[in-house]
Every structure is written in structure tokens, then in C-alpha cells.
Amino acid sequence: MRRETPEKKRQDEKRLISEMIAYYCQKKHGSAAGLLCEDCLKLEGYAHTRIARCPFTESKTFCSHCEVHCYAPEMRERIRELMRYSGPHMLIRHPLLVVRHALTGMQNKNTGKKGRGEG
């Protein structure tokens, strides 16, 4: 399997998080499809900024496995809640995005930071 460029990984991560936020906002906040409430719009902007500035994009698996937490604690908790809710639904709604994300994570598993507690 061929490795993706860091920019391609960033774009894929941004697209996936945007899809997750859109689904969450629609189901939890009653937003119309394709629209985000003000809070979710801010969360999306924050997440995109963090993804764009990540210095480990080339070698990391998932943000949750990174030793450097660039999200503020409150925003990290909001993202966790959103992912817990939206994640299982993404496999049905956007299977190719999810599979690509998982494959990229597995591909980088041995080159990036490993899970918490390992060292």
C-alpha cells in the first residue's frame, strides 16, 4: 500500500471530522442537513485549525494515540463525545472515508506515536 502525502491525510481528516460534526449537529441539535449550529461551526473551525497545524500528520495514527494533545481540554472532550456518537454511524454513511481512515491509521501504527501507556 502506498503512503499518502501529509496534505492528503490532512484533507481526509478534515473531511471526516466535518462529516461527523454535520451528522452530530443534525441529530443532536436538530440542524437541517448541510447546516451547522453556531457551536458546531466553531468546533469544526477549531478542529480544522488543529489538523492543519499538526506537526505529526505524516507519521501519526489517530489524535487519540498522540502524546501531544493540541486540543484544549474542553474541546477535546467535545470531540470525544461527538466521535462516540457519530463514529458508529459513519461506517454506514461514509464507508470509504472510514475504511481509508482506518487503513491510514494501521499503516502508520508502527511509525507514529503508540497508544497511551507505552513508551
Side-chain angles (χ1 to χ4, degrees):
M1 180 184 260
R2 185 174 63 120
R3 287 197 184 269
E4 291 184 322
T5 66
E7 189 52 38
K8 173 75 171 120
K9 283 176 65 178
R10 281 188 182 97
Q11 292 308 315
D12 287 349
E13 281 190 48
K14 286 179 182 180
R15 181 167 177 223
L16 184 58
I17 196 69
S18 290
E19 293 292 344
M20 293 177 92
I21 291 170
Y23 181 79
Y24 182 86
C25 192
Q26 184 180 4
K27 297 298 182 182
K28 290 287 196 169
H29 302 149
S31 297
L35 299 176
L36 297 178
C37 69
E38 187 176 332
D39 284 343
C40 288
L41 196 57
K42 287 178 184 176
L43 181 62
E44 181 184 46
Y46 183 83
H48 282 209
T49 300
R50 299 287 96 198
I51 291 167
R53 293 182 180 168
C54 179
F56 306 110
T57 298
E58 191 169 346
S59 62
K60 75 173 185 172
T61 56
F62 302 111
C63 293
S64 59
H65 293 129
C66 189
E67 290 179 8
V68 177
H69 293 295
C70 60
Y71 281 68
E74 178 187 326
M75 296 302 248
R76 190 176 334 142
E77 189 52 42
R78 288 180 62 194
I79 288 289
R80 277 189 191 133
E81 177 186 337
L82 175 136
M83 288 184 172
R84 276 193 298 267
Y85 184 83
S86 300
H89 301 280
M90 289 297 106
L91 191 54
I92 293 167
R93 293 176 55 89
H94 298 286
L96 293 177
L97 266 176
V98 173
V99 169
R100 175 180 284 153
H101 183 68
L103 288 174
T104 300
M106 289 185 326
Q107 183 180 32
N108 293 321
K109 183 178 178 184
N110 294 323
T111 61
K113 303 284 184 190
K114 296 199 178 187
R116 294 179 194 123
E118 296 178 19

